[in-house]
Amino acid sequence: MSVARVTTITARSADSFEGAIREGIERASATLRNVSGAWVKDQTVEIEDGVIRTWQVTLEVTFVLE
């Protein structure tokens, strides 16, 4: 049997939603042990002068407790 915890994080990228997801997962994995999954809860963009400047995601990251 295992017990998991879910934590919410946000991550940004200057390139894409995929880049923001990768950045968030890499950072979470560097801090948390046993990251086992993530759910993209929300996606937003910041626009300046009609151009997308940043892509942001809110992730629900699951990690298994030791």
Side-chain angles (χ1 to χ4, degrees):
M1 179 169 37
S2 64
V3 176
R5 181 175 175 118
V6 177
T7 190
T8 304
I9 65 169
T10 59
R12 290 184 179 185
S13 170
D15 301 316
S16 65
F17 284 124
E18 184 177 339
I21 293 167
R22 287 183 192 279
E23 180 68 28
I25 296 301
E26 287 173 8
R27 181 64 176 90
S29 295
T31 303
L32 303 169
R33 290 189 301 275
N34 303 319
V35 172
S36 62
W39 168 55
V40 179
K41 185 175 179 180
D42 193 24
Q43 298 179 331
T44 57
V45 293
E46 290 184 6
I47 300 170
E48 184 179 304
D49 297 325
V51 177
I52 297 174
R53 298 296 180 195
T54 59
W55 286 258
Q56 179 175 312
V57 294
T58 302
L59 301 170
E60 297 283 335
V61 179
T62 303
F63 58 101
V64 178
L65 301 176
E66 295 178 343

